[in-house]
Amino acid sequence: MRRAGRRETRAHEKAVQTAVVLGPLELPNPIIAASGTYGHGDEVARYGDPRCLGAITVKSLCADPWPGNPAPRLHLAAAGMLNAVGLQGPGVSAWVESDLPRLRALGARVIASVWGHSVEDFARAAKLLIPARDDLVAVEVNVSCPNVHRRSEMFAHDSEATAAAVAAVVDVDLALPVFAKLSPNVTDLVPIARAACEAGAHGLTLVNTVMGIAIDAETRRPVLGSTGGGLSGPAIKPVALRAVHDVTRALPHIPVIGTGGVQSGTDAIEMLLAGASAVGVGTAGFLDPRAPHRVLNELRVWCSSHGVTRVSELVGALEDS
């Protein structure tokens, strides 16, 4: 009886249509491994078949190799994690040659993420992706990085700077969907989101980490090597939900990948209801590399138990009070 029951449950779960559409990007399901948490290559893919996920967003890459910040880089915080890795990476060309082939060999749908200290850096990073564009499904423009031309203010904190960085990638004409990854550390995210879309972004990733700092009272020094860092994990889920809700209400035709604090299938459902078309799973993967797969399974079970036959029906279905 138990085996029969399990077969019935699995058959019912299979009846849920999980495919989602994000503008020109079509994915078999809405769960995406978030940038910065899945590594550059197949390290995490060894713990779960990447073909089962909607897509994999690799750790953000600069045109050139970048050493990142001094250690320590990670600190466990209340209901989350503070990180100051500093976007360490091998550079786009090295990644295209060494890491991307291993991911593609496993059948992963890969989203490349690029960043830079200047608009020119973004353009160079995008150009270096040209040889690999047939192996990618999209490009993420991570504008949550310091702009050397604006006294290290983040691109994502300014509409014009965000638009310039996004346009630099779009103008390379990779023939791929472009998603702008924005920061929640602003008073009003909607104008910046609108600027990114007007610059050519096909969609948005909302949100990156929340700025924070951890202090050691005994040493009277910051815990992290670079003083401050970015807070991620369950603590920022309400911030991410609010950002997704506000932006998708203001820009209803722009697809959003909702990211921030997603730990469970129910969290993913909440992100979809807020307006996200897909859901990024990030920090949960540090505790359990299989977290994106578990979240996807829990999402299917939730849909089955609530009579939802198509995941896309949940997008933006929040009933505002």
Side-chain angles (χ1 to χ4, degrees):
M1 293 296 292
R2 283 185 179 178
R3 290 180 180 176
R6 287 177 182 175
R7 283 197 296 268
E8 289 173 4
T9 299
R10 289 171 182 168
H12 191 35
E13 289 173 17
K14 288 180 181 178
V16 177
Q17 297 179 31
T18 58
V20 292
V21 176
L22 295 86
L25 179 62
E26 297 184 14
L27 299 176
N29 66 70
I31 303 303
I32 297 174
S35 176
T37 63
Y38 203 83
H40 289 114
D42 63 349
E43 311 96 296
V44 180
R46 300 166 192 169
Y47 293 93
D49 188 348
R51 291 174 297 182
C52 297
L53 301 177
I56 305 296
T57 308
V58 298
K59 185 172 170 57
S60 295
L61 297 151
C62 188
D64 304 308
W66 186 253
N69 288 326
R73 296 175 169 186
L74 301 176
H75 176 72
L76 186 64
M81 181 183 77
L82 202 63
N83 94 83
V85 174
L87 297 170
Q88 176 185 352
V92 174
S93 294
W95 175 77
V96 167
E97 181 179 350
S98 301
D99 293 318
L100 179 59
R102 294 201 297 268
L103 263 180
R104 288 293 297 125
L106 294 173
R109 286 168 288 276
V110 181
I111 300 174
S113 180
V114 297
W115 71 279
H117 284 307
S118 66
V119 172
E120 292 75 20
D121 284 346
F122 280 97
R124 284 200 303 123
K127 288 175 182 176
L128 291 171
L129 285 176
I130 291 175
R133 59 185 169 191
D134 291 341
D135 291 321
L136 304 173
V137 298
V139 176
E140 178 183 86
V141 185
N142 182 3
V143 288
S144 300
C145 46
N147 181 353
V148 293
H149 297 314
R150 296 205 178 200
R151 299 180 181 179
S152 292
E153 177 188 3
M154 284 189 186
F155 283 87
H157 292 178
D158 179 84
S159 295
E160 292 183 3
T162 293
V166 170
V169 174
V170 171
D171 288 346
V172 173
D173 194 17
L174 287 165
L176 291 167
V178 174
F179 287 78
K181 185 175 186 179
L182 303 183
S183 166
N185 303 298
V186 294
T187 303
D188 188 355
L189 188 54
V190 171
I192 297 173
R194 181 176 286 111
C197 296
E198 290 176 349
H202 299 94
L204 304 166
T205 301
L206 305 175
V207 291
N208 210 322
T209 57
V210 175
M211 294 170 65
I213 186 173
I215 295 173
D216 185 327
E218 296 301 320
T219 63
R220 302 187 183 187
R221 297 179 63 82
V223 170
L224 296 175
S226 62
T227 304
L231 179 67
S232 62
I236 76 164
K237 191 181 81 170
V239 176
L241 287 172
R242 177 62 184 265
V244 170
H245 174 271
D246 289 356
V247 170
T248 55
R249 292 304 187 275
L251 304 170
H253 302 300
I254 301 300
V256 165
I257 302 171
T259 306
V262 175
Q263 306 280 306
S264 68
T266 302
D267 290 337
I269 295 296
E270 292 173 9
M271 202 64 82
L272 294 169
L273 291 173
S277 297
V279 181
V281 179
T283 300
F286 286 109
L287 181 64
D288 175 12
R290 299 178 181 85
H293 298 271
R294 175 179 52 77
V295 170
L296 175 58
N297 289 334
E298 291 174 359
L299 179 145
R300 287 194 179 109
V301 171
W302 189 97
C303 288
S304 295
S305 64
H306 289 76
V308 176
T309 58
R310 290 189 302 165
V311 168
S312 59
E313 296 174 2
L314 297 170
V315 177
L318 179 68
E319 298 181 4
D320 292 324
S321 57

